[in-house]
Amino acid sequence: HAEEDSSLIQGNDGEEHDEEHGFGEIVIHQAIETIEFVLGMVSNTASYLRLWALSLAHSELATVFWDKAMLTTLNLNWIAASMGFIVFAGVTLGVLLMMDVLECFLHALRLHWVEFQNKFYKADGVRFSPYSFRQTIKDSQA
């Protein structure tokens, strides 16, 4: 990153001059970058652990619902087994399906904000300007 290692300073005569950074400034800058990188790694790990916890909760809830709604009613008569299945199906669709939707939403959100922002976004003070075919054509015709 040559742009980060030297900055342009405008002198009194209106010309731009290169300014060399000292060794201490470079070390401090690299230390800050290292801390940000480590914090990003911890954040990514915590984000994946959150998704893993949702998957684990989903699995455990499915086991509990199956045990309580179906296995306890299978040894009884067919009416109880049918009611057990209805309860199991309703709870499974109501709770577990919503947990799956939440899990998919959180994973997509994580990919957009955590992965994308870490890889491509730098807050360097340059205003974002999206690519526009119309603007490119206007600029080429002018």
Side-chain angles (χ1 to χ4, degrees), residues 1 4 29 33 36 116-128:
H1 296 273
E4 294 176 0
H29 178 74
E33 289 285 329
E36 287 178 354
F116 180 77
Q117 296 292 354
N118 281 344
K119 301 267 187 284
F120 306 110
Y121 178 73
K122 271 279 202 220
D124 56 0
V126 177
R127 186 178 183 95
F128 175 70

Side-chain angles (χ1 to χ4, degrees), residues 54-124:
L54 269 175
S55 295
L56 183 63
H58 175 100
S59 171
E60 290 303 313
L61 278 175
T63 302
V64 168
F65 294 158
W66 177 257
D67 288 345
K68 299 299 179 191
M70 286 301 296
L71 292 183
T72 57
T73 60
L74 284 179
N75 293 333
L76 304 175
N77 57 22
W78 67 272
I79 295 174
S82 298
M83 292 300 287
F85 176 75
I86 291 170
V87 169
F88 172 72
V91 169
T92 298
L93 286 175
V95 175
L96 298 180
L97 187 61
M98 287 300 113
M99 283 184 70
D100 281 341
V101 169
L102 177 66
E103 189 174 342
C104 293
F105 170 74
L106 286 177
H107 190 61
L109 187 68
R110 193 198 104 52
L111 288 174
H112 279 90
W113 286 101
V114 176
E115 295 290 336
F116 180 77
Q117 296 292 354
N118 281 344
K119 301 267 187 284
F120 306 110
Y121 178 73
K122 271 279 202 220
D124 56 0

Side-chain angles (χ1 to χ4, degrees), residues 7-19:
S7 61
L8 295 174
I9 304 278
Q10 189 167 1
N12 292 336
D13 55 356
E15 293 185 19
E16 294 178 346
H17 302 285
D18 285 336
E19 178 191 354

Side-chain angles (χ1 to χ4, degrees), residues 28-39:
I28 290 172
H29 178 74
Q30 290 303 316
I32 291 170
E33 289 285 329
T34 302
I35 291 169
E36 287 178 354
F37 178 77
V38 170
L39 287 175

Side-chain angles (χ1 to χ4, degrees), residues 128-140:
F128 175 70
S129 174
Y131 184 76
S132 169
F133 284 111
R134 287 188 184 131
Q135 189 62 40
T136 303
I137 293 170
K138 282 182 185 177
D139 291 345
S140 69

